[in-house]
Amino acid sequence: MKYKQYDVKMLSFNRTFKLILLILASAFVVSCSSSVRFSDGGNAGYEDNLSKGEVFYGKASYYADAFHGKLTASGEVFDMNKLTAAHKTLPFGTILNVRNLKNGKSVIVKVNDRGPFAGSRVIDLSKAAAQALDMIRDGVIDVEVTIMD
């Protein structure tokens, strides 16, 4: 009787052990798959089907130190000292003229990342681009964005 009771406990242990292994293996596979890094609740910044010469308006922010040296969505390494930008939908490599509506200053940037994913912003700029627009102190500004190429 004692011997059979031991077998039942061992069977239960084996099933539990296999279940735990299955869960861990599943978690490992899921964690290795690619996934969306960010999400956005709204449609701000989704200017589909825009072409050269077209203009859109909205809020711009900038990103710098925390992302410097990390890979962008395009696969390039982010350099906060280059004139680049993040946009939600425009193709990588798109050249934009971004104008600060407060002071009239403008800068030419290349889209090499995805974003912004905060509020109703339409573009995220590198620190160099933000400095060219004199927006560092403001952080978020109103801009006019013209598609150059």
Side-chain angles (χ1 to χ4, degrees), residues 90-109:
L90 290 174
F92 296 132
T94 301
I95 305 300
L96 305 172
N97 181 0
V98 181
R99 186 169 68 91
N100 183 337
L101 294 177
K102 181 179 176 182
N103 61 23
K105 293 183 179 184
S106 64
V107 66
I108 304 292
V109 296

Side-chain angles (χ1 to χ4, degrees), residues 2-142:
K2 233 179 186 185
Y3 184 71
K4 287 185 180 182
Q5 189 177 19
Y6 177 76
D7 284 343
V8 172
K9 285 182 181 179
M10 192 59 139
L11 263 171
S12 178
F13 173 78
N14 282 339
R15 286 183 185 152
T16 304
F17 183 73
K18 287 178 183 177
L19 181 61
I20 290 171
L21 280 179
L22 180 65
I23 291 169
L24 289 174
S26 299
F28 177 74
V29 169
V30 169
S31 69
C32 290
S33 66
S34 61
S35 62
V36 176
R37 291 187 298 167
F38 305 101
S39 65
D40 178 30
N43 287 327
Y46 285 91
E47 292 82 19
D48 293 330
N49 302 318
L50 290 180
S51 58
K52 185 176 179 177
E54 293 195 55
V55 177
F56 61 93
Y57 297 86
K59 301 262 185 214
S61 54
Y62 74 95
Y63 61 124
D65 302 321
F67 299 96
H68 186 70
K70 296 186 178 177
L71 286 181
T72 63
S74 69
E76 292 180 31
V77 175
F78 176 65
D79 184 344
M80 67 183 185
N81 301 307
K82 290 188 177 178
L83 299 175
T84 60
H87 188 273
K88 292 177 185 166
T89 60
L90 290 174
F92 296 132
T94 301
I95 305 300
L96 305 172
N97 181 0
V98 181
R99 186 169 68 91
N100 183 337
L101 294 177
K102 181 179 176 182
N103 61 23
K105 293 183 179 184
S106 64
V107 66
I108 304 292
V109 296
K110 178 180 82 167
V111 175
N112 73 341
D113 205 0
R114 291 293 175 229
F117 298 97
S120 60
R121 298 174 195 165
V122 297
I123 195 166
D124 257 343
L125 302 167
S126 65
K127 186 174 185 180
Q131 288 170 330
L133 293 175
D134 195 22
M135 68 173 280
I136 298 293
R137 181 169 287 168
D138 294 330
V140 178
I141 60 169
D142 291 315

